[in-house]
Amino acid sequence: MRHLLLIFMFFFAAKVSADEFDLKKFAQTYFDTMIATQAPGATKNELESYLALLTDDVGHSHLPWVTDDSRLPDGKETMRKGMTFYLGAHTEYSAELLDVFTFNNSAIAIRYRNSAKGIHPESKQPIAYNQVMMEVLEIENGKVAVIRKYHE
């Protein structure tokens, strides 16, 4: 009987913690952490804080450039390499969160406006953009498992 009570308490605690996961709060944390990686002077510390929000096998698409969002064992490492390449490329960056939508306990959509200026790390050509973006995030066990980025 005692074991049954312990098992019940374990599953009840797991259910409560899953129910208490606040998707809107997580969306704000994700947004703040993600835009910190784009700021002038961003370092590997900001990048690692962002990557800590992702599963190791995170899938990622950024249409129209990256269209396959398959989850792979090295998904986080692939994102680390790609984001490190562009780290610190902006001389100016700003972003404004416009909307947050949540779906059950499994997905978030964030819509934001951002603008940036800088130098492309490979071509050394100036870059500048103003855009509205939407990211759809699939959540698994409190982390981002799939990221889909869209431009308006």
Side-chain angles (χ1 to χ4, degrees):
M1 180 69 173
R2 184 174 163 192
H3 292 316
L4 187 58
L5 180 60
L6 287 173
I7 291 170
F8 174 75
M9 287 174 51
F10 172 77
F11 284 113
F12 179 75
K15 172 87 171 111
V16 168
S17 69
D19 290 344
E20 290 177 4
F21 186 70
D22 186 338
L23 286 177
K24 287 203 182 261
K25 183 177 178 183
F26 184 83
Q28 186 67 56
T29 298
Y30 175 88
F31 177 74
D32 293 341
T33 307
M34 181 266 300
I35 65 168
T37 69
Q38 304 301 306
T43 68
K44 289 187 179 187
N45 290 336
E46 286 81 14
L47 178 57
E48 291 304 320
S49 292
Y50 171 73
L51 293 172
L53 301 174
L54 313 180
T55 61
D56 289 340
D57 65 343
V58 65
H60 175 260
S61 67
H62 188 163
L63 298 174
W65 303 282
V66 179
T67 58
D68 183 2
D69 62 3
S70 298
R71 293 176 69 177
L72 301 171
D74 65 344
K76 187 187 287 191
E77 186 57 35
T78 300
M79 289 209 42
R80 180 179 285 112
K81 287 178 186 173
M83 291 180 75
T84 298
F85 180 77
Y86 289 100
L87 197 60
H90 294 145
T91 56
E92 295 177 30
Y93 184 80
S94 65
E96 173 191 6
L97 186 59
L98 301 173
D99 298 296
V100 174
F101 306 97
T102 60
F103 307 93
N104 302 320
N105 287 324
S106 61
I108 300 168
I110 60 172
R111 192 170 156 267
Y112 60 95
R113 175 178 294 118
N114 65 358
S115 62
K117 291 183 181 178
I119 303 295
H120 190 279
E122 188 172 54
S123 70
K124 305 300 182 203
Q125 297 298 311
I127 54 173
Y129 58 84
N130 293 297
Q131 60 193 5
V132 174
M133 298 283 299
M134 177 151 36
E135 294 191 27
V136 178
L137 312 172
E138 290 182 21
I139 307 300
E140 180 178 283
N141 298 321
K143 292 199 172 200
V144 177
V146 178
I147 304 165
R148 293 181 180 93
K149 293 186 180 194
Y150 304 91
H151 296 262
E152 275 190 8

